[in-house]
């Protein structure tokens, strides 16, 4: 959680807000009123993205005191300490989630590897051939390919899918995560594989998006449509 970024965002919002009140008392007709409302929305969205636990009434009180130049009710030192405590709490929660994701991924892959249809490479990549093609040339790392894919977490939650978008993706083989790089160089155009990618062959300890927790094994159905010449 990037609480440091929250402070300047709230400060900016407080300068733009002309006033605060209960929803039933708010009038949103003039340009200034609409801009003020927009600033409030931006503050709320920033807080939501950062995952901060915020007391709405206290937040409004802080904005009001800033705008009205009233004496602040909490010292800067206390505010900084509160942000630090929230940051530490969020980091502890994040570490717990990462450990949980790592354990769940490990257990999933261990069980999945026992299935007869699943192949396991030296790197730990697991794959299942759904549609095979006789003959043909596999792409090299320097080739560009056109694929359809459907990506999920091990619990089946979808995080990205060209299939759902109805638009194939095109990219260089060596421009994606390691599990994909390895698998694509074994596939032939027309084949469809299901990949079970350990975290260390995907994004490891970092989270590329809120949809993919750190230390997550990823599951992809990948159809290699063509090698782009």
């Amino acid at each position: 959680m990037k609480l440091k970024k929250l402070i300047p965002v709230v400060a900016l919002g407080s300068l733009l807000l002309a006033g605060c009140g209960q929803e039933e008392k708010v009038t949103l007709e003039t340009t200034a009123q609409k801009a003020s409302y927009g600033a409030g929305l931006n503050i709320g969205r920033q807080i939501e993205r950062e995952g901060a636990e915020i007391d709405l009434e206290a937040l409004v009180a802080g904005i009001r005191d800033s705008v009205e130049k009233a004496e602040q009710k909490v010292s800067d030192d206390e505010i900084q300490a509160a942000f630090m405590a929230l940051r530490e709490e969020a980091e502890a929660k994040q570490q717990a989630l990462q450990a949980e994701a790592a354990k769940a991924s490990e257990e999933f892959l261990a069980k999945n590897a026992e299935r007869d249809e699943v192949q396991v490479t030296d790197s730990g990549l697991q794959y299942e051939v759904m549609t095979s093609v006789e003959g043909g040339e596999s792409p090299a790392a320097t080739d560009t390919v056109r694929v359809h894919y459907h990506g999920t977490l091990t619990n089946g939650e979808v995080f990205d899918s060209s299939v759902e978008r109805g638009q194939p993706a095109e990219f260089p083989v060596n421009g994606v995560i390691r599990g994909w790089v390895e698998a694509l160089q074994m596939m032939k155009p027309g084949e469809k594989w299901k990949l079970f990618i350990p975290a260390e062959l995907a994004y490891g300890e970092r989270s590329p998006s809120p949809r993919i927790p750190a230390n997550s094994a990823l599951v992809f159905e990948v159809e290699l449509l063509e090698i782009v010449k």
Side-chain angles (χ1 to χ4, degrees):
M1 182 172 63
K2 303 172 184 176
L3 285 170
K4 290 183 178 178
K5 292 184 178 179
L6 187 60
I7 299 173
V9 171
V10 171
L12 176 60
S14 67
L15 291 174
L16 294 174
L17 282 168
C20 300
Q22 300 300 318
E23 183 177 355
E24 60 270 21
K25 297 179 181 179
V26 173
T27 301
L28 303 174
E29 296 178 355
T30 68
T31 299
Q33 288 166 342
K34 292 176 182 177
S36 298
Y37 180 73
L41 282 179
N42 288 338
I43 292 171
R45 288 167 180 162
Q46 179 71 17
I47 291 172
E48 182 180 10
R49 283 194 296 270
E50 301 296 347
E53 295 181 10
I54 293 295
D55 184 297
L56 184 58
E57 291 183 3
L59 173 65
V60 172
I63 294 175
R64 182 184 294 113
D65 285 352
S66 175
V67 171
E68 296 177 354
K69 295 180 173 56
E71 182 179 355
Q72 66 185 64
K73 298 177 177 63
V74 180
S75 71
D76 288 340
D77 288 343
E78 289 177 293
I79 292 171
Q80 187 61 35
F83 274 111
M84 181 66 71
L86 282 178
R87 185 180 302 113
E88 291 174 351
E89 181 181 340
E91 288 175 352
K93 288 181 179 179
Q94 186 63 31
Q95 289 174 1
L97 288 174
Q98 290 179 10
E100 183 180 343
K103 181 180 178 181
S105 295
E106 183 179 341
E107 292 175 349
F108 171 86
L109 291 169
K111 186 175 181 179
N112 191 63
E114 296 175 356
R115 297 195 296 122
D116 292 339
E117 57 269 38
V118 173
Q119 308 283 334
V120 183
T121 70
D122 291 341
S123 70
L125 172 68
Q126 299 180 10
Y127 67 94
E128 176 183 345
V129 179
M130 304 174 72
T131 303
S132 63
V133 171
E134 292 296 330
E137 180 183 351
S138 297
T142 53
D143 284 334
T144 296
V145 294
R146 190 166 175 264
V147 303
H148 249 323
Y149 66 90
H150 184 73
T152 70
L153 302 178
T154 56
N155 62 6
E157 183 178 341
V158 179
F159 59 81
D160 191 14
S161 176
S162 70
V163 176
E164 290 186 354
R165 290 192 296 272
Q167 180 63 46
E170 190 173 303
F171 47 75
V173 172
N174 59 9
V176 288
I177 58 176
R178 289 170 55 199
W180 270 64
V181 174
E182 181 179 354
L184 286 170
Q185 293 180 85
M186 296 189 292
M187 296 178 68
K188 296 179 176 61
E191 288 192 330
K192 184 176 182 180
W193 288 17
K194 192 166 188 177
L195 309 180
F196 307 91
I197 304 178
E200 57 268 25
L201 299 180
Y203 297 102
E205 296 182 351
R206 68 186 180 89
S207 171
S209 79
R211 292 187 174 187
I212 303 178
N215 294 325
S216 291
L218 305 180
V219 181
F220 286 95
E221 290 186 5
V222 180
E223 182 180 7
L224 177 56
L225 299 175
E226 65 174 322
I227 301 172
V228 180
K229 300 298 183 181

